[in-house]
Amino acid sequence: TASREASRGRFTRALELLAQASPNGERRTQHELLLTAELLQHTGETESAVRVADDLVKSIGACGPIASRCFTVLGNCAFEQGDLRRSTNFLQKAIRIAEDELDKDAACHAMLCLLGRLADVSSHSAVASLISDTERLIDTINSNVLTIRFQLILGRTEGRRGFFDEADRHFNAACPLIESTPNPWLEGLYSLDASIVSYMRTDISDAVRLATRALACSLKSGHRRTRAAALINLGTFCLHQGDHVKAEDYFLQASETDCRSAEIDAGLLDGLAELALARDQTSKCEEFLNKIDRRLPITRGFTASWYQISPL
């Protein structure tokens, strides 16, 4: 039941069910431990997720589908900790293991995670082969969830490049599948990314609507990163409208989500820097910008990231 809830994007509920299954901390199976690591990563408990996944890999060895998914967890966590290169190495290892085991689902899961990480910091040509390989693999699996994730990654990437019509094309491909596959995690991701495109089009009312929807979805899924990002987006939109008090309140709520993500930290600091600048507090603004440089060292691969370019 916990696994089914996880596949439906209800991560907090799935964790609660796992706790009920082993109320006294009894020894869990490898599958239970893997699910625990994945759920901890989704709900923002990065350090705990690393500990569970790392211990599991050490106990079973670096082979097999479970090991592949453990390395995917470790890759996602390394990214949240601000180390893109280490994240890439883990995810590439996860893909190799899954391909050796002929596990298409595990391979596709890792490829989507890798694509989501690299698409924001690489040129389109640099990730073109990964896009093609991922699309071909998804076609052989025929999974709505994987297709939605793929289309959302492409939509977000095109939106950030300023190609809004292309972003819409990918979002429009994902929307009918989201409607037929109820999943608050995926719906939250779509709403979050679409809110940014609306904002960049200066359609602020639609941006607010979508970010508010993403926030509601995050409460259903327990995906802490979506909650923090939605709050930061709402703060940014209020700042654009000149409502400094409301913007500050959203940023404060975002800071209290305890998301443990380098990107989210950078996005929050960027918002606070813009708020300080709008209030003519230039010294305070500079302090926030310096913190971003320390949080996202350019030597770790974030040089071309949205989160590095925006402060610049």
Side-chain angles (χ1 to χ4, degrees):
T1 306
S3 180
R4 185 170 64 247
E5 287 297 286
S7 68
R8 292 173 176 173
R10 299 182 180 274
F11 306 131
T12 301
R13 176 58 180 156
L15 271 175
E16 291 171 351
L17 290 168
L18 277 180
Q20 293 172 19
S22 303
N24 299 315
E26 295 97 339
R27 182 175 179 81
R28 291 179 171 177
T29 66
Q30 293 176 1
H31 288 283
E32 287 175 313
L33 289 168
L34 171 61
L35 181 58
T36 299
E38 291 179 331
L39 290 170
L40 288 170
Q41 184 251 308
H42 277 304
T43 53
E45 300 292 343
T46 304
E47 293 177 4
S48 297
V50 168
R51 185 166 58 252
V52 175
D54 195 43
D55 288 346
L56 184 52
V57 167
K58 289 177 181 176
S59 69
I60 65 176
C63 61
I66 290 179
S68 171
R69 293 189 75 100
C70 282
F71 282 117
T72 300
V73 170
L74 292 172
N76 287 332
C77 289
F79 180 80
E80 297 293 10
Q81 292 166 339
D83 195 335
L84 182 60
R85 292 178 184 174
R86 190 160 177 261
S87 171
T88 300
N89 290 338
F90 275 133
L91 292 172
Q92 289 174 335
K93 189 170 186 177
I95 294 168
R96 288 196 300 271
I97 294 171
E99 289 176 340
D100 289 343
E101 297 292 327
L102 303 179
D103 188 324
K104 291 183 178 181
D105 284 319
C108 192
H109 175 51
M111 290 169 76
L112 283 168
C113 291
L114 181 61
L115 179 60
R117 304 313 177 214
L118 295 183
D120 185 40
V121 298
S122 306
S123 65
H124 185 76
S125 59
V127 294
S129 62
L130 179 58
I131 291 173
S132 298
D133 291 344
T134 306
E135 186 171 23
R136 279 196 297 270
L137 188 55
I138 288 174
D139 287 342
T140 66
I141 299 173
N142 191 29
S143 162
N144 278 2
V145 170
L146 295 176
T147 302
I148 291 168
R149 288 175 60 191
F150 181 63
Q151 293 296 339
L152 292 183
I153 289 170
L154 296 182
R156 180 179 71 243
T157 303
E158 296 293 5
R160 287 181 171 180
R161 294 172 66 204
F163 300 136
F164 303 137
D165 290 342
E166 282 298 301
D168 285 343
R169 184 171 66 82
H170 292 296
F171 288 152
N172 290 338
C175 281
L177 298 177
I178 292 174
E179 291 176 3
S180 63
T181 314
N183 187 310
W185 172 50
L186 296 175
E187 184 181 350
L189 293 181
Y190 157 73
S191 300
L192 197 61
D193 293 335
S195 75
I196 289 292
V197 173
S198 291
Y199 172 65
M200 293 173 72
R201 279 175 160 151
T202 66
D203 187 348
I204 306 301
S205 61
D206 193 55
V208 170
R209 177 186 66 82
L210 287 163
T212 303
R213 179 180 167 189
L215 184 60
C217 289
S218 73
L219 298 177
K220 296 177 183 177
S221 68
H223 195 243
R224 203 177 297 174
R225 181 189 174 96
T226 295
R227 173 173 170 75
L231 288 166
I232 293 169
N233 284 4
L234 286 167
T236 301
F237 304 156
C238 287
L239 182 58
H240 181 93
Q241 293 173 314
D243 192 338
H244 295 177
V245 174
K246 202 168 183 179
E248 188 173 33
D249 180 58
Y250 278 126
F251 291 147
L252 178 61
Q253 290 183 59
S255 70
E256 293 172 346
T257 60
D258 194 23
C259 187
R260 300 188 181 92
S261 165
E263 271 200 331
I264 292 297
D265 284 352
L268 175 58
L269 289 167
D270 186 27
L272 291 169
E274 289 213 42
L275 178 60
L277 193 62
R279 288 173 165 172
D280 203 26
Q281 299 168 337
T282 51
S283 296
K284 194 172 184 180
C285 174
E286 189 173 17
E287 289 176 15
F288 287 130
L289 294 174
N290 288 335
K291 285 182 180 179
I292 296 175
D293 286 340
R294 292 194 294 271
R295 195 71 179 95
L296 287 181
I298 60 173
T299 54
R300 292 187 177 180
F302 281 92
T303 310
S305 167
W306 168 278
Y307 295 91
Q308 196 79 42
I309 292 171
S310 182
L312 291 173

